[in-house]
Amino acid sequence: MKAFAQEWNNLNSMTIGSVAYNSALENITNQFVLSGTNTSKPNQNSINQIRTNEIALSSPWEFREFNLNGDGELQLVDAKQEPQVKYNGFHSNAISPAVDVEKLVAWINNNTSSILNNNYEVPLNIPGSTTPLAGGHALFPTNNVNQIWNGRGTSGNQFINNDEARHIFSLNTCSSCHGGETKTIFTHIKPRSFGAETSLSGFLTGITVIDPANRPIGSPTSRTFNDLLRREVDLANLIGNTCIKRPVFELAHKLMFKPIRMVH
């Protein structure tokens, strides 16, 4: 893993677009995109999922996720960490009935500790029932720059009790990371068009956002994001760590490792 990280880091010393750069980048990507790179998976393919963003069938834009099944065919699965939109108290009562908002709020309040530790997964169903919780897609409405996940009110069964748990849960959904939690309009990478240069969102390059749910109420928290810097630091830390093949160090690494739940 460390050697693979070093290959990425070595690109920094090359000229983007040069023969050497393109060749090195191709070698890196071939290690996980070619068939045969993981003999235990369908089609011997290392890719875990394929995600699409489309508007071909109807508006608004829909984010979907597919996995390779045992026959090597793409199969639609749930959009990870994204509940069905009917559970979101951010929407009006016409879209999200109180009974549904209460179900998600109860799940968040019951799992506050795991959410605060970023050690949770949105289950397929409401715990203890066969009622679906996870969504088959993430929706991106026209005004998605304000899209967040929330309960309702300031107390009661529709209120998410912990301010930070609300934020983390919302940020880890596709629709709110590409929306109100990071003040992003739809995509984090704006492709080059009509002569304009490719641009990156503030979430990637650095931005401070006031909690869009006004939490704590009346004195909302300000949070700063700079995800490219975070990735740079993580990569440097991985390369800088010493690989010691001793059980105590391996155990310590596993205990300290904390995966990011932002699956999108």
Side-chain angles (χ1 to χ4, degrees):
M1 183 183 296
K2 183 176 179 180
F4 187 60
Q6 187 64 56
E7 290 184 48
W8 281 104
N9 189 65
N10 291 342
L11 293 176
N12 194 46
S13 63
M14 304 177 190
T15 301
I16 296 178
S18 67
V19 173
Y21 181 95
N22 291 342
S23 177
L25 182 58
E26 181 179 18
N27 179 65
I28 290 172
T29 55
N30 281 346
Q31 293 176 60
F32 59 86
V33 300
L34 294 181
S35 176
T37 54
N38 192 326
T39 57
S40 65
K41 297 178 66 174
N43 291 348
Q44 299 186 22
N45 198 310
S46 294
I47 296 177
N48 290 321
Q49 65 275 322
I50 295 174
R51 297 186 176 122
T52 62
N53 212 347
E54 40 146 288
I55 199 171
L57 301 180
S58 65
S59 180
W61 285 87
E62 297 183 43
F63 174 102
R64 295 184 183 273
E65 180 173 326
F66 299 84
N67 292 163
L68 287 172
N69 62 23
D71 295 324
E73 299 174 337
L74 288 175
Q75 181 179 28
L76 181 66
V77 296
D78 59 302
K80 303 299 183 292
Q81 304 294 65
E82 182 89 15
Q84 294 184 31
V85 69
K86 69 178 182 179
Y87 295 109
N88 192 355
F90 167 75
H91 297 291
S92 67
N93 288 319
I95 298 177
S96 302
V99 64
D100 287 327
V101 175
E102 289 175 5
K103 290 176 182 177
L104 179 61
V105 168
W107 186 86
I108 293 174
N109 287 339
N110 289 335
N111 291 275
T112 295
S113 178
S114 296
I115 293 172
L116 291 176
N117 289 321
N118 251 312
N119 185 29
Y120 74 97
E121 293 181 8
V122 174
L124 286 174
N125 298 322
I126 299 289
S129 74
T130 58
T131 304
L133 175 61
H137 59 189
L139 299 177
F140 294 92
T142 302
N143 65 336
N144 77 294
V145 71
N146 296 315
Q147 164 74 27
I148 62 171
W149 279 82
N150 198 5
R152 292 196 183 110
T154 58
S155 63
N157 293 339
Q158 295 186 60
F159 182 70
I160 299 173
N161 295 327
N162 188 283
D163 298 333
E164 193 65 16
R166 185 221 64 82
H167 162 70
I168 292 173
F169 181 88
S170 182
L171 178 66
N172 286 348
T173 66
C174 306
S175 55
S176 294
C177 178
H178 291 253
E181 296 295 338
T182 64
K183 287 303 175 188
T184 298
I185 302 177
F186 192 39
T187 60
H188 287 295
I189 301 177
K190 304 291 189 298
R192 182 179 301 174
S193 61
F194 304 107
E197 292 295 320
T198 299
S199 61
L200 305 177
S201 71
F203 171 73
L204 292 175
T205 59
I207 190 174
T208 298
V209 179
I210 298 174
D211 190 290
N214 191 32
R215 306 280 295 267
I217 296 172
S219 182
T221 299
S222 293
R223 300 181 180 89
T224 298
F225 304 100
N226 191 332
D227 207 56
L228 289 182
L229 177 60
R230 178 196 63 78
R231 299 180 195 191
E232 178 183 340
V233 171
D234 285 352
L235 182 63
N237 287 341
L238 176 58
I239 294 172
N241 284 339
T242 301
C243 295
I244 302 175
K245 293 185 177 180
R246 287 163 56 183
V248 65
F249 288 99
E250 293 177 4
L251 177 61
H253 173 73
K254 291 178 180 179
L255 290 175
M256 294 174 63
F257 179 69
K258 189 175 180 181
I260 293 174
R261 296 291 168 174
M262 300 174 67
V263 296
H264 44 285

